[in-house]
Amino acid sequence: MASRRALQIGGGTVAVGAAYYLYSAGGNPSVAEKKLEHDASAAAARLRGQDVSKQEAQKKGELFAKEAGATIDRTVDNVRADIRNADQAINSKIHEAGNKVDQLKDEGSKALKDTSKELQQSADNFDKKVTQKTAEAKSGISSWLGFGK
């Protein structure tokens, strides 16, 4: 008789539980089944000591956020350092280019002065030769005409 009574109580409990889940699911048996599975897995996790409370979840979330923030900060710092290095490299190249321009300008100025000197010297030599040849020609003509030296 005791086993029959236990069977009646167990069956009644199952029927009440099924009615509760069916009612809370709005009469949809598949949604009721999902809620029952969720509650059963949560109860099993509590029995095994794997209960993740709201506070633990919040602590884990804060820890994750702190780690993600640190990773983002490191990434930002690395990018800033890379930008600083690139800026220094660019400034160095600009300085080198300025020095090269100055060097080429000096070399060009020197070459221009040298060329100008050579041109002036050539013009002077030409002028001397013309003057000399003119003087020779005058003396030659004068000697033909009898006005010679």
Side-chain angles (χ1 to χ4, degrees):
M1 178 125 168
S3 69
R4 188 172 189 199
R5 185 80 174 141
L7 189 59
Q8 286 176 346
I9 292 174
T13 304
V14 169
V16 169
Y20 166 76
Y21 281 108
L22 195 55
Y23 175 76
S24 68
N28 190 339
S30 63
V31 173
E33 183 181 358
K34 296 283 183 192
K35 284 187 177 188
L36 176 65
E37 288 173 1
H38 176 266
D39 289 348
S41 67
R46 280 191 199 120
L47 288 174
R48 285 180 269 165
Q50 297 175 346
D51 184 25
V52 178
S53 67
K54 183 177 180 180
Q55 290 176 344
E56 287 181 52
Q58 187 174 2
K59 285 181 185 177
K60 286 182 180 180
E62 288 172 358
L63 180 64
F64 176 75
K66 194 181 291 184
E67 289 174 356
T71 301
I72 290 171
D73 289 343
R74 278 193 307 272
T75 303
V76 168
D77 290 342
N78 289 342
V79 168
R80 284 182 180 155
D82 289 346
I83 289 172
R84 245 182 274 116
N85 291 341
D87 191 40
Q88 288 174 349
I90 288 170
N91 287 336
S92 173
K93 294 297 182 186
I94 288 172
H95 184 69
E96 287 176 19
N99 288 343
K100 187 69 173 175
V101 166
D102 289 343
Q103 178 187 357
L104 291 173
K105 188 169 114 179
D106 291 344
E107 288 174 5
S109 179
K110 185 177 182 252
L112 180 63
K113 284 180 185 177
D114 290 347
T115 305
S116 177
K117 271 185 184 177
E118 288 175 12
L119 182 62
Q120 186 67 32
Q121 211 171 22
S122 295
D124 287 346
N125 287 342
F126 177 76
D127 196 32
K128 282 180 187 176
K129 278 190 177 181
V130 167
T131 305
Q132 180 185 7
K133 295 294 181 182
T134 304
E136 288 175 8
K138 272 186 182 178
S139 78
I141 292 176
S142 295
S143 67
W144 290 344
L145 298 176
F147 303 114
K149 319 179 201 177

